[in-house]
Amino acid sequence: MISRPANVASRRARRRLSGSQIVVGIAGAVLTTLVFFAISADWVAPYDPLKQNLIEALQGPSAAHWLGTDDLGRDVLSRLLYGCRIAIVAAAEATTLAVVLGVPIGLFIGYRGGWWDWIVMRIVEAIVSIPGIMVAIVIIAILGAGLHRAMIALGILFSTSFLRLARGVVLAEREEIYVRSARVVGASDSRILLRHIFPNIAPPLIVQITLTVGAVLLAEAGLSFIGLGVQPPQASWGTMLNSAAAFMDLNWFLAVPPGVAIIVTVLSVNLIGDVIRDSIGRGIAVVARPAAAAARHASLPVATSDGPLPPPRPDEVLRVEGLEVTVSTPDGDELALITELSLSISKGETLGLVGESGSGKTLTGLAILGLLGAALGTTRGSILLNGRDLRSLSQRRLEEVRGNEVAMVFQDPTTSLNPAFTVGSQIAEVLRAKQHLTRKQAWSRAVELIDRVGIPRPEERARAYPHELSGGMAQRIAIARALSCNPSLLIADEPTTALDVTVQQEILDLFRDLQNEFGMAVLFVTHDLAVAADICDRISVMYAGQVVEMAEVNQLFARPLHPYTRGLLTAMPHASDHNPPLPTIRGSVPRPGSWPAGCRFSNRCDFRIDACDRRIPLTGSGRLVRCIRAEELVLEAAQ
């Protein structure tokens, strides 16, 4: 954990967090009070809410009647407290009915599809095309006026929201691999829906419930106000507003208590809903990094021209020195994810970035591109692309650099390509945005690029959608899009992992051909050392957010200097004859915040000594290593 108590941004983050906690606390207290009064109104209310006294009608607040009296002399405070009960009952009835009706039907039609889905969705579309209050009035006209009938009407009305929510989730989840796996093992449709798919609807369902509760409270008050909900003389906030509206000239304060009660309750419910939305499910809220986060730390590179990296070369494209990437925690501190990262790549060179999952390989590529999330940011070091520090650029200037000077190929082409557009239009879009070509010129160039990456019938394939292409073709399209503006640096994030072995080799050959043609530098992220040996000139080994070794490919494979590199090499499946069994590295990569104080590999290393508990820098000339025993240990790679 990197603690900076004097940091102004951290103090502001803590104040924002404290402020949100106070607001949530107030909202929770309001709803707790509402429930308490709803339960204990018979004992807490000072008067019978139906007791009339015309002599004391339309009085203002007094010691006897804290909130005054209405047009029939009834105590406003007592009626307000009993109105809490009506609000709870109304919200519970309508919301429960909406969930019970909407969710099962949505799950069913989303999973079954076909004419069931078509008929139900046409009915839903007809309902939602009419203003909701009008639908409720029509239903009440059929069922009759009254609280419970009004809530049935609202339950039917709001069930459409839950139906569409459930249907949308099921449509997305039913084609996932885990659902197909459940079908393979013989799970019934009902079990798949309830056991596998329904848990995915729970987080958005809870949020939708809170939103519906607030909407029901407003709708109930509105229906009671116009005489279609709670009927006089029952006490509800809507009927109280109805009475106040008729006597506004005589006592304007009469409308204040029920109006404030409705506003405060609905706001409190919505605030709680926001907290639930940000706390569960797939969208975990994070503390956003301030806009000026990049400027709150001085650039403090760990490695300079006098350090491990050699002095800049004339043909150097990328030079990263002392890079640090952190994530903002909820308490305002910063947790380091990558530290002391230094590397350089020259024109026409391929640098491999290897390591286990969680080492920080992909995060390094995203940091170079400036595509880190809201809570992530680079806090130290420099990222020099063609001699220009990307960390010093504004967001607008950085957007100009992306695509033109640096591009990225992602691991899975089926997710990096937009399924709603043809592949040719996606390449042409880049050319029109970055090089300002006309529509015709961009399309012609897109076809040329598709032909260049080895796809037959490029004109025909340009009009295809991503799902119509094989994995290898889709990855070639992704490469063509990345190279459309001839960038000087290409970041390839495990571009062959999702492909079969034969297609992998074709893609690697394509990378070599394109690199020779365009002369670009390549940062190749991979966990497959065999791929790295085939495509890379140098390899940088990462572990727990640090570079632990960097060397030429042949040197690294012939004699690794770091125990972690040796462990990776001996664990390669094709590097072992299975006699003895395939070696493994015990343990796993430690999570950020739980790294050992010295060497981060020490808790998994067979050669650990007490000196490994001290900070160990990256040392060497030519090839670099972060190990104090590198010279005395003789580590052999698997043969």
Side-chain angles (χ1 to χ4, degrees), residues 238-262:
T239 57
M240 292 176 67
L241 282 175
N242 182 283
S243 300
F247 298 94
M248 188 65 67
D249 293 339
L250 299 176
N251 186 355
W252 61 269
F253 183 77
L254 196 59
V256 173
V260 171
I262 294 172

Side-chain angles (χ1 to χ4, degrees), residues 121-130 135:
M121 289 310 299
R122 299 298 80 76
I123 296 174
V124 170
E125 289 169 1
I127 293 175
V128 299
S129 65
I130 305 172
V135 175

Side-chain angles (χ1 to χ4, degrees), residues 143-205:
L143 300 177
L147 174 63
H148 301 297
R149 295 184 180 92
M151 293 308 101
I152 292 175
L154 292 179
I156 295 173
L157 175 64
F158 287 112
S159 66
T160 58
S161 299
F162 290 96
L163 186 151
R164 290 187 295 172
L165 172 66
R167 175 181 178 270
V169 173
V170 174
L171 287 176
E173 298 295 330
R174 70 180 184 180
E175 301 301 329
E176 294 292 338
I177 299 300
Y178 73 86
V179 174
R180 296 180 183 178
S181 299
R183 290 174 180 165
V184 168
V185 299
S188 63
D189 290 345
S190 59
R191 180 171 180 81
I192 291 174
L193 275 173
L194 298 178
R195 183 68 179 85
H196 296 276
I197 295 180
F198 183 73
N200 290 288
I201 198 179
L205 178 63

Side-chain angles (χ1 to χ4, degrees), residues 474-633:
Q475 191 63 288
R476 289 172 184 267
I477 293 294
I479 294 172
R481 183 176 62 173
L483 298 180
S484 57
C485 297
N486 192 16
S488 55
L489 172 66
L490 178 67
I491 301 174
D493 183 16
E494 302 194 31
T496 61
T497 300
L499 308 176
D500 60 67
V501 177
T502 303
V503 178
Q504 279 187 12
Q505 190 59 51
E506 293 176 357
I507 296 297
L508 293 179
D509 292 339
L510 176 62
F511 269 110
R512 272 189 289 266
D513 293 342
L514 294 174
Q515 186 177 36
N516 293 333
E517 178 179 340
F518 293 100
M520 60 190 174
V522 178
L523 178 62
F524 200 96
V525 177
T526 182
H527 65 273
D528 191 334
L529 288 172
V531 171
D534 188 3
I535 192 69
C536 299
D537 300 303
R538 291 184 299 128
I539 293 180
S540 179
V541 182
M542 286 194 71
Y543 181 80
Q546 281 185 333
V547 172
V548 296
E549 186 168 0
M550 186 184 298
E552 300 288 337
V553 171
N554 294 335
Q555 292 179 331
L556 189 83
F557 278 76
R559 184 175 179 267
L561 297 182
H562 197 284
Y564 178 62
T565 307
R566 184 250 189 186
L568 292 177
L569 292 173
T570 55
M572 293 172 60
H574 54 275
S576 171
D577 58 4
H578 301 284
N579 185 26
L582 179 67
T584 59
I585 306 174
R586 69 173 187 271
S588 58
V589 180
R591 294 173 59 86
S594 60
W595 292 331
C599 175
R600 295 176 185 173
F601 186 66
S602 60
N603 59 343
R604 305 174 67 189
C605 184
D606 296 328
F607 308 100
R608 178 187 176 278
I609 58 177
D610 291 341
C612 295
D613 294 333
R614 299 192 300 267
R615 177 184 176 276
I616 301 173
L618 193 66
T619 58
S621 58
R623 65 179 304 180
L624 312 175
V625 64
R626 196 184 298 273
C627 179
I628 60 174
R629 303 191 65 188
E631 297 300 326
E632 60 181 278
L633 295 176

Side-chain angles (χ1 to χ4, degrees), residues 92-300:
E93 285 187 355
T95 305
T96 301
L97 181 60
V99 173
V100 170
L101 283 178
V103 172
I105 296 175
L107 289 173
F108 176 76
I109 67 172
Y111 189 75
R112 290 295 297 271
W115 64 272
W116 285 99
D117 182 57
W118 189 90
I119 292 176
V120 173
M121 289 310 299
R122 299 298 80 76
I123 296 174
V124 170
E125 289 169 1
I127 293 175
V128 299
S129 65
I130 305 172
I133 192 66
M134 297 301 297
V135 175
I137 290 174
V138 170
I139 297 175
I140 292 172
I142 298 173
L143 300 177
L147 174 63
H148 301 297
R149 295 184 180 92
M151 293 308 101
I152 292 175
L154 292 179
I156 295 173
L157 175 64
F158 287 112
S159 66
T160 58
S161 299
F162 290 96
L163 186 151
R164 290 187 295 172
L165 172 66
R167 175 181 178 270
V169 173
V170 174
L171 287 176
E173 298 295 330
R174 70 180 184 180
E175 301 301 329
E176 294 292 338
I177 299 300
Y178 73 86
V179 174
R180 296 180 183 178
S181 299
R183 290 174 180 165
V184 168
V185 299
S188 63
D189 290 345
S190 59
R191 180 171 180 81
I192 291 174
L193 275 173
L194 298 178
R195 183 68 179 85
H196 296 276
I197 295 180
F198 183 73
N200 290 288
I201 198 179
L205 178 63
I206 294 173
V207 176
Q208 186 63 38
I209 287 174
T210 60
L211 296 175
T212 302
V213 168
V216 166
L217 290 173
L218 287 174
E220 182 277 324
L223 292 174
S224 297
F225 180 82
I226 62 177
L228 297 179
V230 177
Q231 299 298 303
Q234 281 186 294
S236 80
W237 297 338
T239 57
M240 292 176 67
L241 282 175
N242 182 283
S243 300
F247 298 94
M248 188 65 67
D249 293 339
L250 299 176
N251 186 355
W252 61 269
F253 183 77
L254 196 59
V256 173
V260 171
I262 294 172
I263 292 172
V264 171
T265 303
V266 173
L267 286 178
S268 299
V269 171
N270 288 341
L271 283 173
I272 296 298
D274 289 342
V275 172
I276 295 175
R277 177 200 63 200
D278 294 340
S279 301
I280 64 175
R282 297 182 177 179
I284 303 300
V286 294
V287 179
R289 181 175 298 274
R296 71 173 183 248
H297 294 281
S299 181
L300 299 173

